[in-house]
Amino acid sequence: MSEETIYQRLENNGVSRRDFLKLCGTLAGAMGLAVPPLEASGLPDHLLTENKTIHKIARALETKARVPVIWLEFQDCAGCSEALTRSQSPTLIDLVLNTISVEYHETLTAAAGHQTEENKQNIMQQYAGQYVLVVEGSIPMALGGAYCTIGGRSAIEILEEAAAGAAAIISTGNCAAFGGLPKADPNPTDAKGVWELITDKPVVNIPGCPAIPEVFTGTLAHFVIFGALPELDDLNRPVTFYGKTIHDRCLRRPFYEAGKFANSFDDEGAKQGWCLYKLGCKGPTTYNACASIKWDAGLSFPVQSGHPCLGCSEPDFWDGGGFYQGQSAPLNRPAATVVGAAVGAGAVVGAAMAANNAAQKKRAVQASEE
Amino acid sequence: MNWTTFLQFTRGPLFQASLLIFVGGMAYRLVRVVLLGWKGDKAPAKGSKLAGVVKTYLKGFLIFPFVPWVKRTFNRNPIIYLAGGLFHLGLFSAIILGTPHMLVWKSLLGFGWPTLPLPIVDWLSAASIAAMIALLFYRRTNPVLKLISGPAEWLNWLLVFLPMVTGYIMTHHLFFQYEVLFSLHMLSVDVLLIWIPLSRISHFMFYFFSRTIHGVEFGKRGVTP
């Protein structure tokens, strides 16, 4: 990796100044920035005097070198990587790929085996304390981590080694953030999210199944440009993207208010685009940017396409009740036998008390007669 | 523990436990009352007992409550009548005909039914909450009610009021994040479910027994109101 600045690199690749500024604008939009928290960014003073956000971004890119990224995959499906590479926002992705330097990524790296591992070791030494560690997939802790090993080393070992020298860690997808599918009941591998295991480094969670590419790149861009992580919520998710629920921004919201619901996937309500709450939509408790950023270059998102939100950016969403069961419904339905046992127990205790009272009464009557 | 996991607890294990305590507790109460027994009826009936029961339900439960001027309660005490009536109407509209609650029934019973649009349930719930506040005020000021109200009565009011007010705020997405109020709503419902068998709120079940027995008595004597 060279030490040239991001702008120099883009310029060498034939990107004009005009295109460069356009990309800065795109980035500002992607980060959801109106007035960025510049004071917390650690930028030099002369940059803080700039008024326009886009100029601040431009200056940052002109003066900073690319940030090395190490991307680890554990118990995952590579879906987050897939989503990122197939993002329909090529300008944004191009820019982010130009502003970062992915040094290690098991799915994307052309090289393989010991060479790649050796390269990773070198990068970790050369850029100790500077690189961003991206984690995709959960970490199994059962059987000493034996459920996921790479080159004979367990996931937790690899994670701890890479985390030690990282400037920041980004957990992409629900698995890396909160354990995801591998953690679903009964969680045979004792899967955990990164932030449960690494507590001495800043960890940003970008949950989703998969994570929205623009949310991931926007967060990464924030780190690259401002040298600091964006504002996070109590689940370590960037507030810019996870500050509102799907329900808050849903295009079907007016139908919810009006009490117009689809009752099945092919009834008149579904055809009319009515609210999917009765079909199990988890939108009211799901914080993510799907309803505003959407997918495939803003084309659509699940609720718009007629499918209820599954709540994939929330912890334990696999165990959060049936996907097609209304959200207000209790998580589990007590078995009929258990309910019967409760009724039976109540009835038996009641009958015993009544019998005892009757006997007492009888004795009292006898006593008074004697 | 964050609000999401707390919500899972109040919607999951705690709700199940409360539901079982509620069901078992009501079975206990019912058996206790039924086994008190009643004296054999040796007098010949003047009228039909069944007709008495049907009439008393029609008039006392389904028609008269909505025709206030025939009710003595209304003439004697309109506040109790209107506030009490609105409270019960709003409460049961929300619990049975509100969409989120119907889905609860559906998950428990296995079948659902059509529901009312949100704005209608919403206004009825608001009226219900206002009625509860009026009733509390009345209970705090009326000397007779003050005299017969102990801790259990105030607790009854509070434990019914909490689910209603948290549910209302939650539906409107006011003040707090949705899952915070959802959790508090579920927590208050869970507590209420445990409290009902221990309290006079169990009148929701015994009301039907007392009305039936009254109907039998009226019918037997041929004096159906």
Side-chain angles (χ1 to χ4, degrees), chain A residues 287 327-329 333 343 357, chain B residues 2 11 16 23 32 100 107 179:
Chain A
Y287 291 80
Q327 189 177 29
S328 56
R333 180 180 170 178
V343 172
N357 287 354
Chain B
N2 57 44
R11 273 176 76 199
Q16 284 221 20
V23 169
R32 282 299 303 274
S107 79
E179 61 272 20

Side-chain angles (χ1 to χ4, degrees), chain A residues 195 234-235 237 243 245 247-248 253 256-259 261 263 277-279 282 284-287 314-317 319-321 325-335 338-339 342-355 357, chain B residues 2-5 7-13 15-16 19-21 23-29 31-32 35-36 99-111 113-119 170-173 176-180 182 186:
Chain A
W195 74 328
D234 61 342
L235 291 172
R237 303 175 295 193
T245 65
H247 190 65
D248 287 336
R253 178 69 179 269
Y256 172 86
E257 304 292 349
F261 299 98
N263 288 305
Y277 183 82
K278 281 188 178 180
L279 294 174
K282 307 291 183 284
T285 54
T286 304
Y287 291 80
E314 296 298 322
D316 302 320
F317 81 101
D319 300 320
Q325 183 191 36
Q327 189 177 29
S328 56
L331 282 186
N332 338 82
R333 180 180 170 178
V338 179
V339 176
V343 172
V348 166
V349 174
M353 292 284 276
N357 287 354
Chain B
N2 57 44
W3 285 105
T4 310
T5 44
L7 175 61
Q8 281 178 352
F9 174 67
T10 52
R11 273 176 76 199
F15 179 78
Q16 284 221 20
L19 195 66
L20 294 175
I21 291 172
V23 169
M26 289 313 291
Y28 168 82
R29 291 287 306 273
V31 168
R32 282 299 303 274
L35 289 186
L36 284 176
T99 308
H101 291 136
M102 184 279 284
L103 292 174
V104 177
W105 293 109
K106 191 178 175 186
S107 79
L108 294 174
L109 304 172
F111 57 88
W113 46 79
T115 52
L116 287 173
L118 185 64
M170 168 177 140
T171 314
H172 287 267
H173 297 258
F176 301 97
Q177 287 186 318
Y178 189 82
E179 61 272 20
V180 173
F182 196 172
M186 286 311 298

Side-chain angles (χ1 to χ4, degrees), chain B residues 53-87:
Chain B
V53 172
V54 171
K55 276 185 191 169
T56 193
Y57 269 102
L58 275 178
K59 288 188 172 180
F61 185 57
L62 296 171
I63 301 173
F64 276 10
F66 302 95
V67 193
W69 52 91
V70 300
K71 292 285 273 194
R72 232 186 299 175
T73 330
F74 177 70
N75 295 325
R76 280 188 185 167
N77 197 334
I79 297 177
I80 290 278
Y81 178 84
L82 288 175
L86 264 181
F87 160 71

Side-chain angles (χ1 to χ4, degrees), chain A residues 198-283:
Chain A
I198 306 293
T199 47
D200 58 344
K201 294 276 173 182
V203 179
V204 186
N205 287 329
I206 313 287
C209 194
I212 301 176
E214 286 77 6
V215 172
F216 174 78
T217 51
T219 307
L220 191 57
H222 192 286
F223 181 79
V224 171
I225 291 164
F226 297 113
L229 293 171
E231 188 192 349
L232 305 176
D233 69 4
D234 61 342
L235 291 172
N236 282 17
R237 303 175 295 193
V239 174
T240 309
F241 302 107
Y242 295 91
K244 297 275 180 195
T245 65
I246 303 299
H247 190 65
D248 287 336
R249 298 273 168 86
C250 185
L251 76 174
R252 295 182 189 234
R253 178 69 179 269
F255 296 115
Y256 172 86
E257 304 292 349
K260 290 182 182 296
F261 299 98
N263 288 305
S264 73
F265 285 101
D266 56 356
D267 72 352
E268 196 49 37
K271 286 173 193 158
Q272 295 289 333
W274 290 353
C275 178
L276 302 168
Y277 183 82
K278 281 188 178 180
L279 294 174
C281 187
K282 307 291 183 284

